[in-house]
Amino acid sequence: MSCSVAIPSSPVFSPSRRPLSCKAASASPDSASVSSPAPPPSAAGSPLRPFSLLRAQIREEASPTPQKAGSAAPAGSVLKRRRPAPLLVPVDGAAVAAAAAAAVAAVESDPSNEVEEAGDEFAAYCRRGRGRRRVEMEDRHVAKLALGGDPDVALFAVFDGHGGKNAAEFAAENMPKFMAEEMNKVHGSDSAEIEGAVKTSYLKTDEEFLKREESGGACCVTALLHKGGLTVSNTGDCRAVLSREGKAEALTSDHRAARDDERQRIENLGGFVVNYRGTWRVQGSLAVSRGLGDAHLKQWVVADPDSRTLLVDPECEFLLLASDGLWDKVDNQEAVDIARPHCIGSDKASRVDACRRLVETAVSRGSTDDISVLIIQLQKFAASS
């Protein structure tokens, strides 16, 4: 096989004017040559002339001549797409700051941030927490006298929402109705039958909320007063504390993932509990192990309440119902000690002051959670009254 060497000035060394596009490269040898404007002249016989020709041809095909509207680009041409210039939106720092301030002011001025209610038998005070992510009040409360038209039955409740206000708001609006329906089916004062009615009301509230396919959940504590009896129930970490001649008596136990029995129950159902940043959480998410709603955890976070029934006797002074925003900073006995001086008499304003003082004590100790406190004067419902 013979080889020949071409010198730079030889025509054999000059590159072909075949276009560099893929279509042209795949064309037949007979149609491979495409006429194009002559490249800029270079010095005859220069050793750089072949490279000058190739560079000029690349520039031609990378930057085609403009086409008229509707006309097709010539075969073999290569269109170079250019990135559009970035769109620069001027930012007015003062306007952004003013909008943020207006949004904060709207949240702070919302009347639902602070709720106060009082009657002859009770007082309630609720305040929105000042946590960084807390943009709305998620707590709700209920005080229903003569429940379902029965003057011997009353319902008091605190609902602590998480992941939004939806579940707490729904429960506050609907649980009293469900409770009245179930209590109408109860005949007599059998505690087991009454506790069964309460449980059915909890489960029905949970079931109806889940049908709405809304996010979030709620913990709750309820006090059902019926003909001298008191049935206290809870699901989650809202708590009921009784003042019995000045001594605090917890009537509920918080349903938290850290409880051994709750963790065992969850693991038996195929779930798990892990410690995340110092807090035990169901599936690494929720710190409470029972509650209303929480559809994504419903297999493990059940709505079944724990209930306890007792007789309201002369030693029972008042009952405290509150969300965990209070109990995380104030213990049971201290709460009774703070509230009791304001609850001995029958003055409504004093009971409101007691609720407010409890909330302010928790806030002064660093609570950024929503806090709801409800005080019930039990002697109004005693069996002898």
Side-chain angles (χ1 to χ4, degrees):
M1 179 177 178
S2 62
C3 298
S4 61
V5 178
I7 61 175
S9 61
S10 170
V12 178
F13 188 82
S14 299
S16 170
R17 297 195 181 196
R18 184 175 300 172
L20 297 180
S21 66
C22 296
K23 290 184 178 179
S26 60
S28 62
D30 296 335
S31 59
S33 178
V34 178
S35 63
S36 59
S42 60
S46 170
L48 299 178
R49 183 173 180 274
F51 301 102
S52 176
L53 295 175
L54 179 59
R55 192 163 54 247
Q57 188 169 357
I58 291 175
R59 281 199 300 269
E60 286 177 7
E61 298 181 357
S63 305
T65 57
Q67 300 292 323
K68 293 183 179 181
S71 63
S77 65
V78 176
L79 299 179
K80 182 178 180 181
R81 300 184 64 182
R82 295 188 178 183
R83 185 189 299 259
L87 178 63
L88 301 178
V89 180
V91 177
D92 186 344
V96 172
V104 171
V107 170
E108 296 297 333
S109 63
D110 188 342
S112 66
N113 289 342
E114 191 173 14
V115 179
E116 183 180 299
E117 185 180 3
D120 291 334
E121 302 84 0
F122 72 95
Y125 179 70
C126 313
R127 184 187 294 181
R128 180 178 69 87
R130 296 298 190 265
R132 183 180 60 176
R133 300 181 181 178
R134 215 164 286 282
V135 297
E136 62 182 355
M137 179 70 163
E138 296 177 342
D139 281 9
R140 295 293 185 272
H141 76 279
V142 165
K144 293 287 186 182
L145 302 173
L147 183 69
D150 188 342
D152 294 324
V153 181
L155 175 67
F156 300 93
V158 167
F159 302 96
D160 180 5
H162 48 259
K165 64 180 181 180
N166 295 343
E169 195 167 70
F170 178 87
E173 293 174 355
N174 293 276
M175 185 178 283
K177 177 181 64 177
F178 300 147
M179 195 79 74
E181 292 173 355
E182 295 304 318
M183 285 301 293
N184 284 335
K185 302 174 185 178
V186 174
H187 302 288
S189 301
D190 181 69
S191 61
E193 192 174 358
I194 293 172
E195 291 177 10
V198 171
K199 179 178 180 178
T200 301
S201 302
Y202 271 64
L203 297 179
K204 188 170 183 180
T205 302
D206 181 59
E207 178 184 359
E208 293 300 317
F209 176 72
L210 293 175
K211 289 179 181 178
R212 297 165 67 98
E213 297 183 350
E214 294 180 356
S215 62
C219 302
C220 65
V221 59
T222 59
L224 183 67
L225 289 140
H226 46 87
K227 300 177 181 178
L230 169 64
T231 298
V232 174
S233 308
N234 78 305
T235 179
D237 56 6
C238 292
R239 191 182 306 169
V241 174
L242 171 69
S243 173
R244 188 185 292 275
E245 295 186 329
K247 295 182 179 180
E249 180 181 339
L251 301 183
T252 61
S253 180
D254 300 346
H255 295 125
R256 291 185 176 269
R259 272 177 50 173
D260 291 339
D261 57 339
E262 287 295 286
R263 178 167 54 186
Q264 188 63 50
R265 177 183 63 79
I266 291 166
E267 291 176 351
N268 289 342
L269 291 172
F272 61 88
V273 175
V274 296
N275 191 314
Y276 179 69
R277 294 184 178 179
T279 302
W280 290 95
R281 298 179 182 273
V282 181
Q283 305 297 104
S285 174
L286 193 63
V288 293
S289 56
R290 299 195 190 193
L292 307 174
D294 298 305
H296 64 298
L297 298 171
K298 196 74 265 175
Q299 182 178 350
W300 309 284
V301 181
V302 297
D304 301 56
D306 283 334
S307 295
R308 177 179 176 182
T309 301
L310 64 153
L311 182 68
V312 179
D313 58 36
E315 294 180 351
C316 299
E317 296 174 338
F318 60 90
L319 182 67
L320 272 170
L321 305 181
S323 57
D324 69 313
L326 174 70
W327 305 119
D328 286 346
K329 300 297 181 179
V330 181
D331 66 33
N332 299 344
Q333 186 61 54
E334 186 180 15
V336 168
D337 293 342
I338 292 172
R340 191 168 186 258
H342 303 271
C343 298
I344 297 302
S346 58
D347 184 11
K348 290 189 291 185
S350 293
R351 284 195 292 273
V352 172
D353 288 342
C355 295
R356 187 185 293 270
R357 281 200 61 192
L358 287 168
V359 171
E360 290 174 350
T361 300
V363 172
S364 69
R365 295 176 181 178
S367 176
T368 59
D369 199 356
D370 297 338
I371 306 176
S372 295
V373 178
L374 198 157
I375 295 178
I376 306 142
Q377 202 75 21
L378 289 177
Q379 289 306 306
K380 300 284 186 177
F381 301 95
S384 60
S385 63

